[in-house]
Amino acid sequence: MQQATLRIIGQTTRQQLCRSFSTTRGNTMSHIGGLPIKYTSEVKIEHLPTAFSAIDSRFFDKTTLKVTGPLGERTMPIEPFVSLEFVQPNGQSDSAETQLLVSVGNSAERKQRQMWGTTRACINNCVIGVTEGFSATLRFVGVGYRAAIENGQLALRLGYSHPINLEIPEGLKVSVPTPTRVLISGIDLQQVKLFAAKVRKWKKPEPYNQKGIFVDDETI
């Protein structure tokens, strides 16, 4: 009887400890969101109060962030609970870096905590895109696998009875330095990787024959 009582008390204590441990939350700080975004004078960042889209209702309450640089211009939506703070450099030289700090109204709220790091990462990708750009390299491995630019389209010959012609999305540059290598570049990381995946799906790498279309340093 005593052993059964002690067992029940032990189980209750463990459950209380687990419950208190799972619900206790310390200082909710985003490791990525708290990092400052540094950029030089060649980049211009504007936080506009206008809605990101006047047509799509999902963006009616979101403001617009415009990032302009040597390679082009990017825009992205900013959630209403996200705050942006610009810290100007002390020096007046062109190499002096301005810092952009991203914060949220309530970091204890799950959605705001999730969007904190996501927003910071997207803004940083915009800055890198308009200054350095992004690229993806496709390698064609297989007998007769090759690519070419024909009539403004990317033509793939992958052993089918007919070539596969893909429209090149606006804003991307596609070159074919060799018949078995395709280089995709642009200022939008998502569009670059998306088009690379679209090309890759026509001949995914095989784990046994080691043939197919490989993206960057992809191995099977």
Side-chain angles (χ1 to χ4, degrees):
M1 182 67 178
Q2 293 180 351
Q3 293 180 353
T5 303
L6 291 175
R7 189 180 301 110
I8 294 174
I9 295 175
Q11 292 177 354
T12 304
T13 304
R14 284 195 299 271
Q15 291 176 356
Q16 291 176 348
L17 289 174
C18 292
R19 188 180 301 112
S20 62
F21 178 77
S22 61
T23 57
T24 301
R25 188 180 301 278
N27 185 18
T28 53
M29 178 67 181
S30 173
H31 296 288
I32 298 177
L35 297 176
I37 301 173
K38 300 179 180 180
Y39 60 96
T40 59
S41 58
E42 64 179 359
V43 178
K44 182 180 179 181
I45 300 180
E46 298 177 275
H47 188 196
L48 307 176
T50 56
F52 183 74
S53 175
I55 302 175
D56 195 337
S57 60
R58 296 176 301 171
F59 301 104
F60 285 171
D61 63 338
K62 297 176 176 60
T63 54
T64 304
L65 185 74
K66 182 168 69 172
V67 183
T68 309
L71 299 182
E73 179 181 297
R74 289 286 316 280
T75 57
M76 62 168 288
I78 299 296
E79 295 284 351
F81 51 77
V82 174
S83 300
L84 303 178
E85 179 184 357
F86 296 89
V87 180
Q88 301 298 330
N90 295 326
Q92 299 298 326
S93 62
D94 295 337
S95 60
E97 294 182 334
T98 303
Q99 292 189 2
L100 173 59
L101 304 179
V102 182
S103 60
V104 293
N106 183 12
S107 60
E109 187 176 338
R110 182 176 182 180
K111 180 180 178 181
Q112 295 192 24
R113 191 168 61 253
Q114 291 173 341
M115 292 304 299
W116 190 0
T118 301
T119 302
R120 190 268 176 196
C122 291
I123 297 175
N124 189 59
N125 285 340
C126 290
V127 173
I128 296 175
V130 299
T131 53
E132 303 174 9
F134 298 99
S135 63
T137 303
L138 304 178
R139 296 178 289 111
F140 289 67
V141 180
V143 178
Y145 294 178
R146 62 188 187 277
I149 301 294
E150 298 178 357
N151 300 323
Q153 296 180 327
L154 179 62
L156 309 177
R157 290 173 173 80
L158 303 172
Y160 300 115
S161 60
H162 57 85
I164 301 167
N165 297 320
L166 299 178
E167 292 285 347
I168 299 175
E170 183 179 358
L172 295 184
K173 295 181 180 178
V174 179
S175 60
V176 185
T178 62
T180 59
R181 191 173 297 269
V182 176
L183 178 62
I184 305 172
S185 59
I187 63 175
D188 191 337
L189 176 62
Q190 181 180 0
Q191 291 297 324
V192 170
K193 297 301 183 180
L194 184 63
F195 187 65
K198 184 178 180 180
V199 176
R200 178 185 179 273
K201 77 172 186 178
W202 286 101
K203 191 64 75 170
K204 296 180 181 180
E206 300 177 3
Y208 299 105
N209 297 328
Q210 296 291 317
K211 296 180 180 180
I213 302 176
F214 296 80
V215 180
D216 293 331
D217 297 328
E218 180 184 8
T219 57
I220 299 296

